[in-house]
Amino acid sequence: MASSNKNDCFKEAIEKGEINSFKYSSFGELKFIGAGGFGDVYSAYLENMKEIVALKKFRGNEESIIREVKKITKVDHENIIKLYGVTK
């Protein structure tokens, strides 16, 4: 898939309301927590929500990231951290 199509997939998922998008600049006070299978995890203060959240920096291509984000947004369980959205 061409690079522009990857960006189109990501943009389309946001426009359809399948995932929320935040400006990266709205995150502050980043502190490294650890690394996982999909990427690095940070603690960050999200200004829009006035709370500390987990910010995950994904590794991989955009299609796999979009698939993972869509799966996470469908899960509602007390042991799973809620996904608020994504940033680029």
Side-chain angles (χ1 to χ4, degrees):
M1 186 178 273
S3 175
S4 62
N5 289 340
K6 290 179 184 179
N7 291 331
D8 291 344
C9 291
F10 193 76
K11 184 178 176 184
E12 183 179 321
I14 292 169
E15 288 173 354
K16 285 182 175 180
E18 295 171 338
I19 54 177
N20 295 318
S21 178
F22 294 95
K23 290 183 180 180
Y24 185 75
S25 62
S26 64
F27 294 92
E29 304 174 29
L30 272 68
K31 296 176 188 162
F32 181 76
I33 295 173
F38 273 100
D40 299 333
V41 181
Y42 298 83
S43 165
Y45 181 75
L46 179 54
E47 181 63 36
N48 305 44
M49 303 190 79
K50 306 283 190 235
E51 65 181 276
I52 295 174
V53 299
L55 180 64
K56 190 171 203 177
K57 180 180 178 182
F58 282 103
R59 288 188 286 270
N61 63 46
E62 283 195 0
E63 287 89 0
S64 65
I65 293 168
I66 291 168
R67 278 194 306 274
E68 184 67 14
V69 168
K70 285 180 180 180
K71 288 177 191 175
I72 293 169
T73 58
K74 293 178 182 179
V75 175
D76 184 18
H77 190 274
E78 63 188 46
N79 293 334
I80 307 268
I81 295 173
K82 180 180 167 129
L83 176 82
Y84 290 116
V86 297
T87 188
K88 271 184 135 179

